[in-house]
Amino acid sequence: MALGIGDRRYRDTDFTTHYAHHPKAPLTFLVGNLLRQAYQYAQDHGRVCLQQSYGFNVQDFQADLSNLRAISAGVQSVGVARGWRRIPEETSHLIATVKFALISVTRTRTTHRLLLSDGTRADAIEVQHEWDLDSGGLATLSLGQLTASQNWIAERLAEFPHANGFAVQEAEIVLPLKNVPTAAPGKCEIRLESKAVARATDGGFSLNAYYQPLFAQVVADMRY
Amino acid sequence: MAKTAAKTTKSPLEFATGRDVLGEDLRAIARALNWVFQKRNECHVSLTTGENNWDDYPASPLGGDAGVSKAVGTLNVTATAGEVTFVDTDLWIDADALQANMEVGAECHIPTAGDTVRVKFTLTGATGSGVANVDCTDTNNDTEVVGNIALGGVTPGNEWVRCVVTVQRTVGTGATDRVRTVRVEELSSTAFPAIADDVCGVIVSTGEPVFDSLGRRVVVDC
């Protein structure tokens, strides 16, 4: 990378002590600290470049469930967010944070895929997470019969109406940029895709699961 | 004197006590600071409609899956007369924006051949304004169309710039034309604010002499 050294991450700097400005004080501390401050400031610049929210009408929840959002996605990924951005110069990573509900009562595996392309070059990553929904505490809906506390369900429905009372999960997907040049920031396409598959009785992951996206955000950051 | 912005790979650990500090070091650091603080592109408005989980987007060349066509969402553009306000907000554009080059973009999904949806971006400040019409047709379906606005007239100093985005179908009658994304970005530039006597970006004030690599005493300018 052009700025900074290696993969060092500058997290803090020293205050420049007053004696650094004394006429006889060595300049080295001051100069080194200036560099640290420059690097830290440059690195500490995560920028939101894509946000996607899913707004819902609670009344329409049955229709949504069957037609719109909750997807049985054992094989094919579904799109969660897509957009076009200029990636700031010296961006080294894209970080996606996605909130979603898994409408499932068995252990479920999600696969998120984050993709970036400037038209000719591309970077992509796939991240798998497993969610222990059996013992996860709150996701105890059994095909229409709610067994969680009614108070909790009301609260949850108010927060995320379309989670249908299921626990809201959050996953982070970090994409290191290798191929997409950012020195001359060009317009890039960003995609976030996902799929979910639930565990079958034989222990394998083969059952369709419903994945309900709620909110997704992609941030461009300088992490090296 | 124009400022110079440059990146450096110098390590702070290089400056151990006792090491000579050379004129080049200070120049490199001042230029690195200039680079850090120069204007980089910023996204002011980023909206997506979130229709139908994006399922009918085209296959990605990157290995992404093509979506499955789903029922139509609710943000269809059905009006053929008049503009429908889609976004109405204020942007904060600061003093550096003397030559604020704004890039705007919109992506539409237009399955009906021949239809045109116009997404109009109007940026209005107290002393300058600009308009860009982004026309999306079925030939640029599912990809972003870009326009540009140069806010050349905006007064130096802080100023609110109002951003209004309207949508109008100007050609056609299809019932499923829809807008997917709207974007307003301020492009990066290497310009710096004009501040009197500020040519260096960093001021070194010390009695310690500064030498270049040949041992000559130097004046630090940047």
Side-chain angles (χ1 to χ4, degrees):
Chain A
M1 287 296 174
L3 187 70
I5 50 167
D7 57 357
R8 183 181 170 97
R9 175 81 172 163
Y10 290 87
R11 298 194 180 280
D12 59 358
T13 59
D14 300 315
F15 289 115
T16 301
T17 47
H18 65 281
Y19 52 79
H21 302 291
H22 189 276
K24 293 298 180 187
L27 269 174
T28 47
F29 173 82
L30 172 67
V31 169
N33 201 36
L34 279 175
L35 260 185
R36 273 195 295 275
Q37 291 188 23
Y39 291 152
Q40 189 204 9
Y41 187 85
Q43 290 178 346
D44 197 13
H45 253 193
R47 289 154 190 262
V48 173
C49 53
L50 183 64
Q51 285 185 321
Q52 171 82 59
S53 72
Y54 287 80
F56 299 101
N57 182 340
V58 179
Q59 291 179 335
D60 204 20
F61 128 85
Q62 288 293 343
D64 282 345
L65 196 61
S66 58
N67 292 330
L68 294 177
R69 310 295 172 186
I71 305 298
S72 171
V75 178
Q76 189 177 32
S77 294
V78 296
V80 174
R82 179 173 179 241
W84 310 82
R85 290 295 169 275
R86 287 182 178 271
I87 306 300
E89 188 179 358
E90 290 295 329
T91 297
S92 66
H93 290 74
L94 283 190
I95 297 107
T97 308
V98 54
K99 275 185 160 58
F100 57 94
L102 294 171
I103 305 180
S104 169
V105 292
T106 64
R107 192 176 183 88
T108 301
R109 174 187 292 159
T110 57
T111 304
H112 288 98
R113 185 189 288 155
L114 181 59
L115 309 99
L116 177 74
S117 169
D118 66 355
T120 55
R121 279 159 288 205
D123 283 308
I125 196 167
E126 266 193 6
V127 179
Q128 284 194 338
H129 296 93
E130 286 188 15
W131 309 89
D132 190 1
L133 301 182
D134 297 305
S135 57
L138 299 176
T140 51
L141 181 67
S142 175
L143 297 179
Q145 189 171 8
L146 292 164
T147 57
S149 115
Q150 290 297 313
N151 285 341
W152 176 81
I153 290 168
E155 184 180 304
R156 181 59 69 189
L157 286 175
E159 274 182 38
F160 292 100
H162 211 58
N164 301 340
F166 282 90
V168 175
Q169 321 285 355
E170 183 176 274
E172 184 180 81
I173 303 98
V174 178
L175 170 62
L177 303 185
K178 297 172 188 165
N179 302 318
V180 178
T182 59
K187 193 178 73 173
C188 293
E189 180 187 354
I190 303 170
R191 289 189 186 205
L192 180 62
E193 301 176 344
S194 71
K195 58 184 172 183
V197 60
R199 188 169 59 183
T201 51
D202 62 1
F205 286 87
S206 60
L207 295 179
N208 286 340
Y210 285 93
Y211 177 99
Q212 175 55 61
L214 297 167
F215 182 77
Q217 170 172 287
V218 179
V219 171
D221 199 6
M222 188 187 279
R223 286 190 179 181
Y224 51 78
Chain B
M1 182 185 296
K3 283 186 180 180
T4 304
K7 291 173 281 191
T8 177
T9 54
K10 277 184 182 298
S11 166
L13 304 177
E14 199 180 299
F15 296 95
T17 304
R19 174 209 191 274
D20 285 338
V21 175
L22 306 176
E24 292 94 297
D25 298 330
L26 300 182
R27 278 197 193 95
I29 292 169
R31 288 168 180 174
L33 284 171
N34 287 342
W35 184 87
V36 166
F37 288 97
Q38 73 184 343
K39 178 186 291 297
R40 269 170 283 177
N41 53 302
E42 299 175 36
C43 187
H44 288 293
V45 173
S46 158
L47 284 182
T48 49
T49 61
E51 46 95 24
N52 296 345
N53 66 45
W54 300 102
D55 257 6
D56 51 359
Y57 59 53
S60 165
L62 327 174
D65 290 331
V68 179
S69 183
K70 290 282 182 181
V72 175
T74 56
L75 283 164
N76 296 334
V77 181
T78 55
T80 53
E83 299 166 351
V84 179
T85 300
F86 190 53
V87 182
D88 190 343
T89 185
D90 287 333
L91 305 180
W92 180 251
I93 294 184
D94 65 16
D96 303 356
L98 288 173
Q99 78 303 0
N101 294 313
M102 312 294 287
E103 184 176 89
V104 298
E107 179 194 348
C108 294
H109 183 67
I110 301 176
T112 309
D115 280 12
T116 300
V117 170
R118 170 167 290 181
V119 184
K120 180 180 173 185
F121 296 80
T122 305
L123 302 180
T124 309
T127 54
S129 64
V131 176
N133 290 318
V134 173
D135 288 332
C136 302
T137 68
D138 60 302
T139 57
N140 50 44
N141 203 15
D142 299 330
T143 190
E144 191 189 56
V145 182
V146 169
N148 287 284
I149 298 175
L151 279 177
V154 175
T155 304
N158 295 335
E159 186 168 317
W160 283 102
V161 174
R162 188 164 192 78
C163 171
V164 177
V165 182
T166 60
V167 179
Q168 180 183 17
R169 191 176 58 214
T170 52
V171 179
T173 56
T176 55
D177 301 335
R178 53 195 186 271
V179 178
R180 279 177 163 167
T181 67
V182 168
R183 171 174 69 104
V184 178
E185 269 191 302
E186 190 174 349
L187 298 183
S188 60
S189 83
T190 54
F192 296 95
I195 300 173
D197 300 326
D198 176 22
V199 295
C200 196
V202 55
I203 297 171
V204 178
S205 173
T206 174
E208 192 77 3
V210 178
F211 302 98
D212 65 11
S213 53
L214 297 177
R216 297 170 300 196
R217 186 176 287 226
V218 297
V219 175
V220 178
D221 61 33
C222 318

